[in-house]
Amino acid sequence: MYEFLVSIGIVALAEIGDKTQLLAFVLAARFRKTRPIVLGILCATLLNHGLAGAVGALAAWLIDAGILRWLLGLSFLAMAVWILVPDSIDEDEETVTTRHGVFVTTFICFFLAEMGDKTQIATVALVAQFSTPFLVVAGTTLGMLLADLPAVFVGERLGEKLPLKAIRIVAALLFAALGVAAFFVGT
């Protein structure tokens, strides 16, 4: 259960101000159809984080525990720095066509936006650290939804009221703590 809760917290905080949260704002403002947007986000996140979980499990199996500990520690410290840099939406993601409908558009946009993103890399690292792919993927998916769904439901007003800089700092500190902790796990 610890892995599940840590995964929720890490991703929910990391997602605040991320490009996919901004994408949720844009899609909600453009289409004004909550249900297909929410389902698109959920399905894209499950697939994306499921793949990341598989990569993390494979890494944990293939890489020596001592080396993996250092790789995880360094990756979490790198995530702590990366999370301090605000994201923006790429023009390609914002101007996606809608000929396939709101669900498919949302699914494709979110899946592509998450490729190589902080939360996908965090999912890989968390699965490699905890060796509980199901709990981590469920937690990172829920964390993603906790951060992105308010953007869908409330829209731009929520983004203006959140202290994004403070949230990024808290998330960076959590990643840094995980990074430092990873150096000492198993020693």
Side-chain angles (χ1 to χ4, degrees), residues 144-166:
M144 182 80 129
L145 292 174
L146 287 174
D148 289 341
L149 292 185
V152 173
F153 292 116
V154 180
E156 291 285 341
R157 284 185 259 160
L158 179 64
E160 294 170 7
K161 293 180 181 180
L162 284 175
L164 296 179
K165 185 175 181 179

Side-chain angles (χ1 to χ4, degrees), residues 7 18 26-27 58 62 92-93 98 104 108 110 129 141 146 148 156 182:
S7 298
D18 190 72
V26 169
L27 291 169
L58 183 63
L62 290 176
D92 294 342
E93 293 166 355
T98 60
V104 172
I108 291 170
F110 266 79
Q129 180 179 10
T141 299
L146 287 174
D148 289 341
E156 291 285 341

Side-chain angles (χ1 to χ4, degrees), residues 92-170:
D92 294 342
E93 293 166 355
E94 188 174 355
T95 59
V96 71
T97 62
T98 60
R99 65 178 166 226
H100 296 295
V102 176
F103 170 79
V104 172
T105 298
T106 302
F107 177 85
I108 291 170
C109 286
F110 266 79
F111 184 81
L112 293 176
E114 275 298 295
M115 294 303 291
D117 195 54
K118 294 179 286 250
T119 52
Q120 185 185 43
I121 293 169
T123 302
V124 170
L126 287 165
V127 168
Q129 180 179 10
F130 293 131
S131 298
T132 53
F134 178 78
L135 287 176
V136 170
V137 170
T140 59
T141 299
L142 183 56
M144 182 80 129
L145 292 174
L146 287 174
D148 289 341
L149 292 185
V152 173
F153 292 116
V154 180
E156 291 285 341
R157 284 185 259 160
L158 179 64
E160 294 170 7
K161 293 180 181 180
L162 284 175
L164 296 179
K165 185 175 181 179
I167 292 170
R168 278 193 202 95
I169 291 169
V170 169

